[in-house]
Amino acid sequence: IRVIDMHTVDPIDRDAIIKAAKETGGILTVEDHCICGGLGSAVAEVLADAGMGIKFKRLGAPEQEFPVLGDMYELFTYYGYDPKGIKDAARKLIA
């Protein structure tokens, strides 16, 4: 398990993603906004282009609904990317 801070989505560090995928067997992305068109989507493209069929999960606000209102910590919990949500998603991914 590792944490990679992707400070840019474009250009994306393809080598770091592929290396992490090979070494861990799974990728979990976490972003504090809509999951469509962001980091998770870019990582999914890298994995697909590399032909890597690994476990993959994106955490963030879903595209299919209007966002709820609240302070950022309430939203993190609501959408499941608070510390507990990240931990639970990582455990499922490596199970």
Side-chain angles (χ1 to χ4, degrees):
I1 295 176
R2 72 195 59 179
V3 174
I4 300 173
D5 181 7
M6 289 289 186
H7 63 285
T8 62
V9 175
D10 185 20
I12 193 141
D13 190 343
R14 295 178 184 278
D15 294 337
I17 295 166
I18 292 169
K19 180 179 181 205
K22 286 179 181 176
E23 292 176 0
T24 65
I27 300 282
L28 171 66
T29 62
V30 182
E31 42 199 323
D32 63 350
H33 53 81
C34 180
I35 60 174
C36 296
L39 175 65
S41 296
V43 170
E45 288 178 19
V46 169
L47 297 173
D49 288 347
M52 301 187 77
I54 66 161
K55 295 177 182 180
F56 176 69
K57 174 75 175 165
R58 297 180 297 170
L59 293 182
E63 180 78 13
Q64 298 80 15
E65 65 182 62
F66 289 105
V68 297
L69 300 176
D71 74 34
M72 67 182 197
Y73 298 109
E74 291 172 331
L75 296 178
F76 291 173
T77 301
Y78 180 83
Y79 288 117
Y81 54 88
D82 61 333
K84 181 186 179 315
I86 294 168
K87 179 182 72 174
D88 292 345
R91 285 186 171 161
K92 280 184 180 178
L93 197 68
I94 62 175

